[in-house]
Amino acid sequence: MRNSSKNGWSLFLLLLAGIVLGGFIGWLTKDATYLAWLNYGQQFGVSEPFKLNLGILKVTFGFTIKITMSSIIGVILAILVYKKL
């Protein structure tokens, strides 16, 4: 029998929360001397946004992801919380 609280959506939401909270904690600690390593990471994405001009409608598409040490820790903690559910 499958536990109803463990499904894909709860894992997705926990991972998203871990990424966001980890990134926020990394941003908060970027100026702290001994915690600056939490904000260390790499940024990926489209450097120049794609612009579509249809005359009446102008749309700009852009995508960047910054993976930091604190966001990785947040993902690991989210997975541990998911396993405890």
Side-chain angles (χ1 to χ4, degrees), residues 5-46:
S5 68
K6 282 187 140 183
N7 60 29
W9 284 109
S10 61
L11 176 62
F12 174 73
L13 290 175
L14 281 172
L15 288 175
L16 189 61
I19 291 170
V20 170
L21 288 175
F24 181 68
I25 290 170
W27 178 77
L28 285 177
T29 60
K30 68 181 178 210
D31 295 328
T33 305
Y34 296 107
L35 297 175
W37 62 272
L38 287 172
N39 198 39
Y40 177 76
Q42 187 70 331
Q43 187 168 354
F44 304 98
V46 180

Side-chain angles (χ1 to χ4, degrees), residues 1-82:
M1 185 172 198
R2 196 171 167 203
N3 190 353
S4 63
S5 68
K6 282 187 140 183
N7 60 29
W9 284 109
S10 61
L11 176 62
F12 174 73
L13 290 175
L14 281 172
L15 288 175
L16 189 61
I19 291 170
V20 170
L21 288 175
F24 181 68
I25 290 170
W27 178 77
L28 285 177
T29 60
K30 68 181 178 210
D31 295 328
T33 305
Y34 296 107
L35 297 175
W37 62 272
L38 287 172
N39 198 39
Y40 177 76
Q42 187 70 331
Q43 187 168 354
F44 304 98
V46 180
S47 60
E48 287 293 322
F50 173 71
K51 296 179 182 179
L52 179 63
N53 186 353
L54 299 174
I56 299 173
L57 179 69
K58 293 181 182 178
V59 182
T60 304
F61 298 99
F63 183 75
T64 58
I65 295 175
K66 184 174 182 183
I67 300 174
T68 62
M69 294 301 288
S70 60
S71 64
I72 293 171
I73 293 170
V75 166
I76 292 170
L77 289 175
I79 291 171
L80 292 174
V81 167
Y82 178 75

